[in-house]
Amino acid sequence: MAVLVIADHDNAALKDNTHKAVTAAQKISGDIDVLVAGQGAQAAADAAGKIEGVRKVLLAESAELDQGLAEAFEALVVPLMANYDAVLIPSTSLGKNIAPRIAAKLDVAQISDAVEVVDANTFVRPIYAGNALETVQSSDAKKVITVRPTAFKAAAEGGSASVETIAAPAAPAKVKFVEQQIVQSERPELGAAKIVVSGGRAMGSAEEFQRVIEPLADKLGAAVGASRAAVDAGYAPNDYQVGQTGKVVAPDLYIAVGISGAIQHLAGMKDSKVIVAINKDGDAPIFQIADYGLVADYKTAVPELMSALDGSAK
Amino acid sequence: MKVLVPVKRVIDYNVKPRVKADQTGVDLANVKMSMNPFDEIAVEEAVRLKEKGVATEIVAVSVGPTQAQETLRTALAMGADRAILVQANDQDLEPLAVAKVLKAIVAEESPEVVLLGKQAIDGDNNAVGQMLAALLEWPQATFASKIEIAGGAAKVTREVDGGLQTIEATLPAVITVDLRLNEPRYASLPNIMKAKKKPLDVKELASVGADVASRLKVLKVTEPAKRGGGIKVETAQDLVMKLKNEAGVL
Ligand SMILES: Cc1cc2nc3c(=O)[nH]c(=O)nc-3n(C[C@H](O)[C@H](O)[C@H](O)COP(=O)(O)OP(=O)(O)OC[C@H]3O[C@@H](n4cnc5c(N)ncnc54)[C@H](O)[C@@H]3O)c2cc1C
Ligand SMILES: Nc1ncnc2c1ncn2[C@@H]1O[C@H](COP(=O)(O)O)[C@@H](O)[C@H]1O
């Protein structure tokens, strides 16, 4: 029984999500291969070979794989699955785009967003915005699993697997990449950051969001997140959204500023180690899950917090 | 151009779901049910495409219990032209099964675009659209925040990690919609009245001829661990002290 992990990477570097998916895979089999699909991705493939417990790295390169086109991934991964009993993919926007397509082609169910691998056939996954956990047993011969990275520890470094280059499939005929606007940020990635500072509707404008939330995040070396309300209103970019239908984060410290705590938001951050809420409404639901609540107007509380942090840095 | 819009009846997003004591599932008895919010966005987009003269007919389809007729009537009141219920009363179908049923409906209806929600907020699977595209061997454009249809192709801007991506898919295609695509309208009273007279065709699941066997056995449904109660702090100064000394996260 062998399993394939599809790597999360940006060609130059491997992301930690890959290490976490490897940890999830270890519960299924000891024979773990990692597929690095991209373009100019030798460095990421070499890094994948250094993850402890990895048997072999497969490297496939084409423009369409780099663009994350699901049709290209289907053509690459479905034939490969003749050699594997399971494929695990981190639940990123790429993973969510490609995994169900692969599952349907294999005529198997997808296990979406697994947070625990009980055994090779049994998985735990959140449903209803994380208000319930479902334990499911699969009767499919092959498994397609998207993995919620925050639920798994990263596999250690220390491997020395070889990298085998495999052919990329021909470009899909019916879909083509047009353009993308990907923002390169100096800040840590939202999914991987130790500290996340999120702003909500209370910010009132994009300028205010940038004036209040971003300096606090930078002082803490934190990633920036937002509620749906803040994103919908254009205060923050769409991929900042934390929640049921946005990103799921579980940092050591999550600071929610001017966020009420709707269940859809909580779904994305309630597994954080320590939660801080700053909200002027003492009855806001966010306080029910916050470890430390500060009932205050953010307009005074955030500057005070900034100077208290300055004071404590000494 | 015909647009097919699959809509699911789910727990209303404002309701806090409760796990049943016997761990068999979430308690839906006497709970408010509504159209999956993403599907409202899909219906809205289809209606806008029709208003722009791009779409000519909108067919809403739901796979579910008899009560899903209400969901379909909502879609009709928003502007869909007709509806199909594939009645599945005692079975909660998995995404693969729903995709197979939808494939059979696509074979009958021959739409050029299937517009779905990206995710149903009950199972949180985010799978049916991609699966349907695979089964049909159609291109897919998921998580759409902008859709332009012209010249036999859909140019779709997608919400992805890090920003936005635009792809162009040759029709027929499957598109799944994200939150920022539009703001769904409320159905007006006259439109709700008119919707009652629009055609709603009910088919039995068995008559569709799709393999709907379940692949996953639910062993149990449990409540996640509750967080321990927190405390309120008086000042930002206190907060920083506690985060440093008590929580050890700074
Ligand atoms: C299908 C669907 C999916 C969704 N997915 C998500 C998701 O993934 N993520 C998500 O976040 N939401 C999601 N939502 C939206 C969610 O239901 C809430 O509407 C949203 O989280 C509210 O955002 P908010 O807390 O910023 O705004 P509000 O609920 O308006 O809260 C603003 C808060 O700011 C406080 N405030 C105001 N002024 C100040 C001040 N000066 N100082 C301090 N506090 C102040 C107020 O007391 C209030 O509590 C989804 C909804 C649906 C229907
Ligand atoms: N039973 C159903 N009937 C009709 N459409 C459905 C059904 N289940 C899912 N869908 C569609 O598929 C989308 C994604 O659902 P899911 O993959 O279950 O998260 C939903 O937003 C709907 O558009």
Side-chain angles (χ1 to χ4, degrees):
Chain A
M1 194 184 237
V3 299
L4 185 67
V5 169
I6 301 184
D8 180 15
H9 67 90
D10 64 4
N11 295 317
L14 200 62
K15 301 201 178 158
D16 221 27
N17 288 340
T18 312
H19 301 69
K20 293 175 173 179
V22 167
T23 299
Q26 282 163 347
K27 280 282 189 91
I28 302 177
S29 164
D31 293 331
I32 301 168
D33 293 351
V34 176
L35 171 65
V36 175
Q39 199 169 35
Q42 186 70 44
D46 291 341
K50 298 203 176 78
I51 302 176
E52 199 167 83
V54 172
R55 180 177 72 172
K56 185 170 72 178
V57 178
L58 304 175
L59 172 62
E61 299 186 285
S62 74
E64 292 73 25
L65 290 168
D66 192 37
Q67 293 151 358
L69 296 183
E71 294 77 0
F73 273 85
E74 176 199 319
L76 174 66
V77 178
V78 171
L80 279 180
M81 288 306 291
N83 309 322
Y84 298 98
D85 301 295
V87 56
L88 293 91
I89 312 172
S91 298
T92 58
S93 62
L94 172 76
K96 292 175 186 174
N97 188 37
I98 67 174
R101 194 161 177 121
I102 294 165
K105 272 286 158 179
L106 295 171
D107 194 29
V108 304
Q110 166 171 273
I111 315 290
S112 300
D113 236 6
V115 293
E116 190 188 334
V117 178
V118 179
D119 61 41
N121 299 310
T122 314
F123 309 90
V124 181
R125 53 177 302 266
I127 53 176
Y128 289 88
N131 285 291
L133 293 171
E134 178 183 63
T135 304
V136 292
Q137 191 175 51
S138 163
S139 57
D140 286 318
K142 292 185 192 290
K143 317 283 189 275
V144 175
I145 306 155
T146 58
V147 175
R148 180 176 285 194
T150 54
F152 296 90
K153 285 207 165 66
E157 303 287 326
S160 57
S162 60
V163 177
E164 180 188 323
T165 300
I166 59 172
K174 296 181 208 164
V175 61
K176 66 171 200 279
F177 170 85
V178 178
E179 60 178 357
Q180 65 185 14
Q181 295 118 30
I182 301 295
V183 180
Q184 296 297 343
S185 170
E186 299 290 299
R187 298 196 183 93
E189 241 178 86
L190 190 49
K194 293 242 178 304
I195 303 179
V196 173
V197 180
S198 288
R201 193 197 309 270
M203 295 307 118
S205 70
E207 295 70 39
E208 186 73 352
F209 192 97
Q210 281 155 22
R211 194 186 66 80
V212 175
I213 301 299
E214 299 192 355
L216 178 57
D218 291 341
K219 189 173 283 289
L220 292 164
V224 179
S227 70
R228 174 192 173 182
V231 174
D232 281 5
Y235 309 162
N238 59 272
D239 66 311
Y240 281 27
Q241 181 179 312
V242 170
Q244 177 186 18
T245 60
K247 285 221 174 63
V248 176
V249 302
D252 290 343
L253 175 59
Y254 186 89
I255 305 181
V257 184
I259 291 178
S260 62
I263 60 169
Q264 292 86 5
H265 188 79
L266 303 188
M269 44 65 80
K270 70 184 168 56
D271 293 327
S272 304
K273 202 167 134 209
V274 174
I275 296 173
V276 168
I278 300 173
N279 195 307
K280 70 175 181 189
D281 172 8
D283 294 327
I286 189 87
F287 288 122
Q288 289 164 20
I289 65 146
D291 299 284
Y292 300 103
L294 181 57
V295 182
D297 191 320
Y298 78 81
K299 289 187 178 114
T300 50
V302 172
E304 279 168 20
L305 185 56
M306 297 278 280
S307 49
L309 285 167
D310 281 339
S312 80
K314 283 178 217 130
Chain B
M1 183 185 83
K2 192 195 274 192
V3 181
L4 189 75
V5 188
V7 296
K8 188 176 188 188
R9 177 177 182 267
V10 298
I11 191 168
D12 186 84
Y13 81 95
N14 270 313
V15 176
K16 184 166 161 51
R18 303 232 173 266
V19 174
K20 286 194 214 164
D22 66 0
Q23 302 197 334
T24 55
V26 165
D27 195 355
L28 296 177
N30 306 315
V31 164
K32 183 175 181 212
M33 304 291 282
S34 299
M35 189 189 299
N36 181 41
F38 287 99
D39 304 353
E40 286 182 353
I41 296 171
V43 173
E44 174 66 33
E45 194 65 14
V47 174
R48 290 187 191 186
L49 286 170
K50 193 172 170 199
E51 286 167 350
K52 278 190 237 158
V54 178
T56 48
E57 188 183 19
I58 303 167
V59 182
V61 52
S62 192
V63 188
T66 312
Q67 297 92 311
Q69 291 195 20
E70 293 162 23
T71 314
L72 289 168
R73 291 286 171 206
T74 306
L76 293 169
M78 288 175 73
D81 296 294
R82 57 193 179 83
I84 302 168
L85 171 64
V86 180
Q87 193 158 272
N89 270 323
D90 2 80
Q91 218 181 341
D92 209 4
L93 299 192
E94 290 166 13
L96 182 62
V98 173
K100 287 181 178 180
V101 171
L102 293 175
K103 184 189 176 195
I105 301 297
V106 166
E108 282 172 21
E109 294 286 337
S110 306
E112 272 158 289
V113 172
V114 184
L115 209 52
L116 307 90
K118 83 162 175 182
Q119 175 174 344
I121 61 162
D122 49 2
D124 283 334
N125 277 295
N126 194 332
V128 171
Q130 298 89 317
M131 287 182 156
L132 177 63
L135 298 176
L136 292 167
E137 300 187 343
W138 287 8
Q140 72 185 49
T142 52
F143 324 148
S145 66
K146 189 172 173 207
I147 301 173
E148 291 168 288
I149 294 181
K155 196 166 148 194
V156 177
T157 301
R158 310 178 50 234
E159 294 200 2
V160 296
D161 293 343
L164 296 170
Q165 179 193 58
T166 305
I167 60 173
E168 196 173 278
T170 308
L171 300 186
V174 171
I175 304 174
T176 78
V177 306
D178 216 321
L179 293 170
R180 258 67 65 180
L181 181 61
N182 61 47
E183 226 176 283
R185 69 194 65 193
Y186 288 101
S188 67
L189 198 56
N191 284 342
I192 292 172
M193 299 313 287
K194 266 193 247 162
K196 292 189 175 151
K197 298 204 188 71
K198 289 186 180 176
L200 193 165
D201 181 17
V202 179
K203 291 177 193 295
E204 282 307 318
L205 178 61
S207 75
V208 173
D211 159 25
V212 294
S214 69
R215 312 304 184 81
L216 303 175
K217 184 171 160 201
V218 178
L219 300 182
K220 63 177 177 185
V221 174
T222 56
E223 227 173 286
K226 284 217 165 57
R227 291 187 73 93
I231 57 160
K232 295 251 168 78
V233 294
E234 291 303 318
T235 66
Q237 199 89 39
D238 278 358
L239 178 60
V240 171
M241 291 246 303
K242 291 228 153 57
L243 290 176
K244 265 192 111 125
N245 305 327
E246 204 174 272
V249 288
L250 284 185

